Amino acid sequence: MTTASRSTVSRAEATGRAGHVADVESLRADFPILERTINGQPLVYLDNAATTQKPRPVIEAVRWYYEETNANVHRAVHTLSQQATAAYEGARAKVQRFLNAAESREIIYVRGTTEAINLVAHSFARPRLRPGDEVLISAMEHHSNIVPWQIVTAERGATLRVIPMDRSGDLLLDRYVDLLTDRTRLVSLVHVSNSLGTVNPVAEMIRQAKARGIPVLLDGAQAVAHHRVDVQSLGCDFYACSSHKMFGPTGIGALYGRAELLEEMPPFQGGGDMIRSVTFEQTTYAVLPHKFEAGTPHIAGAVGLGAAIDYLMALDRDSLERHEADVVDYAVERLRAEPGVRLIGCPTRRTGAVSFVMDCAHAHDVGTIVDQAGVAIRTGHHCTQPVMDFFGVPATARASFAFYNTRSDVDALVSALARVRKVFA
Ligand code: C6P
């Protein structure tokens, strides 16, 4: 099966790129790995929530950096270092535009969403929390948005509260309002759930928190590849995301923080590049954003992230969003109709991920057998064990989508599930 024959997207449903007509097939051609075969079958990559594939311009940008511009940043007057610094800081400006932050100093490079949340937990929350204070998260958080809060609330004698959800995988918004009290010091909420696909009504939830003067962090790991994000119109105080989940390299991500809050916060780590002056008696810190970027950063990663943003921003994201929604709706419809398949959660608004279990086999067996057909899905608890506990399952199989997926990828998954039934019948 060629990639061309697998598309169900016609040129009439085409997506525009920089004014040019480009369909999903031609976008797929930007991703060399999608040409691969796995176990003798064309790769059907449905594990985009774990990490997305990389388009050629991102791979090229990283290669360009190492071949042409490799040097340390902010440290030397020589030309290479100046060029590396320009590329690194230029990429920061791209992240700023991508998230619509007001200033580029509000963008802190981090290793990814996990580090971004830890930074806020340790530098923002820890100094502010007092015994009896509360941090509010939701029932569908990734472990990265649970464990850092457990650590700092335990240390400070504060309490972690959880917004409950229903069996559809929607948060109970009336309970949320009740949980916002005078004790709440921060709301830290997932924008899009990685295991259920729920898109939370974050704009309204932020508005409710801010009406009480409570700061809000959004975990945007699963949102940025699918939706345009505007941190100023959302009104959040912090926004965390990972490059590798939005077509960029691994090992880099961004924390957006409102300048006013970042200014007040102590550094997260100490070391080179985050200082203004050091003596054995005292250190003063660099200005934003460098105060939070200790040590030699992932320069190539930043350059690759910048290239990923250029790539994404040149696409007609509205029509890609519509295409993705069509593919996800089709996946839900096909999986729902499959004998012995049970969907986990059916949220009011869904993006990216569909989780399911099969009567006849453990999720890991499902993953192993569909892999033999070239279909890559993730199985397990997806770093959301409380979600698994809530639904009473040890694990799920999860198909997760990017704009380069098509209805025929869903068909390939569904045919592979028939193999699972055959093996375990
Ligand atoms: N979810 C998944 O397969 P890092 O690893 O730091 O880039 O991202 C952590 C993270 C935080 N929040 C959410 C909502 C996430 O989905 C993830 C990563 C991957 O679902 C790997 S566990």
Side-chain angles (χ1 to χ4, degrees):
M1 197 160 46
T2 64
T3 47
S5 68
R6 290 178 33 229
S7 174
T8 57
V9 179
S10 69
R11 283 197 178 261
E13 296 166 283
T15 67
R17 179 156 45 161
H20 301 290
V21 173
D23 63 11
V24 167
E25 256 344 297
S26 61
L27 293 179
R28 286 179 66 87
D30 292 339
F31 293 78
I33 208 168
L34 297 179
E35 300 293 322
R36 266 204 68 174
T37 55
I38 298 285
N39 297 320
Q41 304 292 322
L43 168 64
V44 173
Y45 188 74
L46 295 176
D47 196 15
N48 294 285
T51 199
T52 51
Q53 298 303 345
K54 318 305 171 201
R56 232 174 233 106
V58 169
I59 299 165
E60 276 302 303
V62 173
R63 189 198 58 76
W64 167 83
Y65 169 72
Y66 280 124
E67 281 187 7
E68 307 259 347
T69 323
N70 179 50
N72 214 327
V73 292
H74 304 142
R75 283 161 170 83
V77 293
H78 63 74
T79 304
L80 268 191
S81 176
Q82 301 286 322
Q83 287 177 352
T85 302
Y88 179 75
E89 292 302 333
R92 193 192 305 276
K94 290 174 188 183
V95 180
Q96 177 204 343
R97 283 197 294 280
F98 184 69
L99 296 177
N100 195 33
E103 302 174 65
S104 69
R105 69 192 182 114
E106 296 182 313
I107 303 299
I108 313 297
Y109 285 128
V110 285
R111 280 189 299 142
T113 306
T114 303
E115 190 172 72
I117 296 171
N118 275 277
L119 192 162
V120 177
H122 288 271
S123 288
F124 178 77
R126 187 203 258 152
R128 285 173 169 74
L129 288 175
R130 302 280 172 267
D133 286 349
E134 295 178 357
V135 171
L136 187 54
I137 60 171
S138 86
M140 62 178 78
E141 300 304 328
H142 186 278
H143 298 165
S144 294
N145 200 28
I146 301 174
V147 183
W149 305 115
Q150 287 174 332
I151 292 170
V152 294
T153 53
E155 191 187 309
R156 306 297 296 161
T159 306
L160 190 59
R161 295 256 179 251
V162 180
I163 311 158
M165 65 177 163
D166 62 20
R167 300 293 295 177
S168 300
D170 286 319
L171 293 180
L172 300 179
L173 298 176
D174 47 350
R175 298 288 298 281
Y176 168 63
V177 174
D178 293 343
L179 283 163
L180 293 172
T181 71
D182 294 344
R183 292 183 299 277
T184 316
R185 293 288 161 265
L186 182 79
V187 174
S188 190
L189 183 67
V190 72
H191 191 168
V192 174
S193 155
N194 66 317
S195 48
L196 300 169
T198 311
V199 183
N200 284 314
V202 289
E204 177 60 9
M205 294 176 82
I206 291 168
R207 201 191 55 71
Q208 286 162 327
K210 302 297 288 189
R212 290 179 152 270
I214 301 166
V216 180
L217 179 155
L218 288 186
D219 168 352
Q222 299 296 344
V224 281
H226 306 284
H227 301 293
R228 261 194 286 264
V229 170
D230 181 333
V231 291
Q232 292 188 79
S233 79
L234 281 171
C236 59
D237 297 276
F238 299 102
Y239 197 93
C241 58
S242 300
S243 152
H244 72 100
K245 292 186 197 293
M246 46 179 280
F247 316 103
T250 52
I252 183 113
L255 170 69
Y256 156 78
R258 269 202 307 116
E260 193 189 326
L261 299 180
L262 292 174
E263 290 280 14
E264 290 169 7
M265 288 158 55
F268 177 43
Q269 295 177 333
D273 216 29
M274 51 73 74
I275 55 90
R276 178 176 289 149
S277 74
V278 179
T279 65
F280 285 116
E281 289 70 41
Q282 201 198 0
T283 292
T284 56
Y285 303 124
V287 294
L288 291 176
H290 310 296
K291 179 172 79 172
F292 292 106
E293 294 177 7
T296 299
H298 186 8
I299 308 163
V303 170
L305 170 58
I309 289 172
D310 285 344
Y311 180 83
L312 266 177
M313 288 181 83
L315 300 174
D316 177 349
R317 296 193 73 194
D318 291 338
S319 72
L320 288 180
E321 215 175 292
R322 283 196 297 278
H323 162 69
E324 243 187 89
D326 171 71
V327 174
V328 171
D329 286 351
Y330 181 66
V332 168
E333 185 189 311
R334 293 272 344 241
L335 289 168
R336 207 172 258 152
E338 271 302 285
V341 169
R342 180 162 60 92
L343 293 185
I344 300 298
C346 82
T348 306
R349 214 180 138 213
R350 182 200 293 271
T351 279
V354 184
S355 266
F356 60 95
V357 291
M358 289 187 81
D359 288 347
C360 64
H362 187 278
H364 288 316
D365 294 322
V366 175
T368 304
I369 291 173
V370 302
D371 178 61
Q372 287 163 11
V375 180
I377 58 171
R378 182 172 171 188
T379 57
H381 53 61
H382 316 291
C383 300
T384 55
Q385 284 185 5
V387 173
M388 301 297 117
D389 292 346
F390 178 79
F391 283 98
V393 292
T396 72
R398 179 190 70 184
S400 58
F401 299 86
F403 62 78
Y404 44 62
N405 290 119
T406 64
R407 282 184 171 218
S408 52
D409 290 337
V410 176
D411 294 336
L413 169 66
V414 171
S415 316
L417 296 182
R419 280 194 195 203
V420 178
R421 275 199 302 277
K422 220 174 191 173
V423 171
F424 287 94

